[in-house]
Amino acid sequence: MAHDQQTAPVITTTPAFVVHRHKLVLVGPAGPTPRETKRLSDIDDQETLRGYLPFVHFYRRGTGAHADDDRNDPADVIRRALGEALVPYYPLAGRLREVEGRKLVVECTGEGVAFVEADADVRLAGLEAAGPLMPPFPWIDQLLCDVDRSSGVLNCPLLFIQVTRLLCGGFVLALHINHNISDGIGLGHFLSAVAELARGLPAPTTAPPPWSRELLEARVPPRPAFPHRVYDASPIPPPPPPPGDMVVRTFTFARRDVAAIKARLLTHLHGTATTFEALTAALWRARTAERELSPREEVRLVCIVGFRGIRELGIPAGFYGNAGVPSAVLTTAGELQASSLGDTVEMVREAKAAVTAEYVRSTIDLLVLRGRPSMPATANFFVVSDNRHLGLHRVDLGWGMPVYGGIATVGFGGIFLVAVMDGDGEDAVAVPVMLPRPAMDRFATELEKMVAPSLVVDPAPAMPPAHIHTDRGYTQHRRPWYKQIV
């Protein structure tokens, strides 16, 4: 396992280069679009999503459609393609408003998205000097367009984009997208359309994007069928350490690293465990071990599980709204550490399997009954979101594939799995992690134990199966250390 980025401060006051930003402009749809009001779904407008997600793409001069033509300025090409893409994706050019009960709607005004072109006095090689381009990016604030947060998410652009030209002919595309309007997969759909138009296609190859948010509205009356304890109020955790005490490190798992983790599993899991299941289990165990918690202290794993593929929900292809729900599992620190890695893999698998059509509808109903609450921040939550399938690492704007395309920053308490290439040009998984300085070293040590080559596999369970209640509404055999899915 390679640590692609050495431990680095989250905040830096000494930029290595200077960025000159031009004046912010609004890019609206290039053609006529409907003027109407569209309701967001009851998944979209939950409190947890009221904010912006930052993403960044780095491009070399490349070998793509525009690479050999200096007349193709990336800012001009992308601005034109944005305007064309906003015709079918016209709600993105609108503004969020609140109606009764703080329900969010989109006023399709055609006002446009925020766009800034910029120039940096640095080459891409200069940005790569400290190591591969992966979080943390201490200078990322210079490449991300500023978001006006004075009014929260209301009455302001839903997308902020900055295109920064580099001295070498490469460039950086960095953006903030409002999370209420789209999730990561939805952003991937939109950027794919922009990329096709930027490469000169007359229209995106996919069908016009469906709105279809009405498919994810609460039932009347709402009738939650599961407890969804992930939304329960909980004691306020202690405040995180000051920013100066926090560090970010990106851990890169090559295929051989994932194989080493799977080699520790029993045969039936070794052959069936997915990369997500194996990595999530290893990461959660390492995070819990490094915290040195009391054995009786409760810990929770929260997986953000996508449901586009659940046929009963009828989500159409190209849907760009939010389509994921949290599924959590509970145990204690002592029980987790006393169990095997294979037990934890099965726990992750159960969390994913719990998300059925009824579970999704139940989540929506509960959100509406409780006023669309946020997931409470607790000291022992470990939230995992799989970003490997967003398509962001394959967005070709005419200059070839990005050197890196994915999440731009990472926060405390949650992690993202990001698709990258390792030093050998092979597919790999990057996991940016933010922790206090002493905790980072302990976390890295715990991970190394699981990735180090070993012929030892998980032992057979020492205790007989027991009946436990799961959030799926029926009783099944599980090992007794495992409490429940929530």
Side-chain angles (χ1 to χ4, degrees), residues 216-287:
L216 301 175
E217 292 281 348
R219 294 173 286 199
V220 181
R223 47 185 188 276
F226 302 93
H228 302 292
R229 288 187 54 196
V230 70
Y231 291 106
D232 285 352
S234 59
I236 299 176
D245 294 338
M246 302 290 278
V247 293
V248 176
R249 181 181 292 178
T250 292
F251 297 87
T252 302
F253 296 85
R255 290 179 181 176
R256 62 182 177 276
D257 301 317
V258 177
I261 294 173
K262 291 182 179 181
R264 295 177 176 273
L265 305 175
L266 290 171
T267 303
H268 77 286
L269 288 174
H270 184 198
T272 63
T274 67
T275 295
F276 175 82
E277 291 164 353
L279 285 182
T280 299
L283 290 161
W284 186 32
R285 291 176 68 86
R287 178 73 174 104

Side-chain angles (χ1 to χ4, degrees), residues 4-30:
D4 284 336
Q5 295 283 52
Q6 296 300 314
T7 303
V10 174
I11 294 178
T12 180
T13 56
T14 310
F17 56 92
V18 176
V19 173
H20 172 69
R21 289 187 175 102
H22 296 221
K23 184 179 179 180
L24 184 148
V25 298
L26 293 176
V27 177

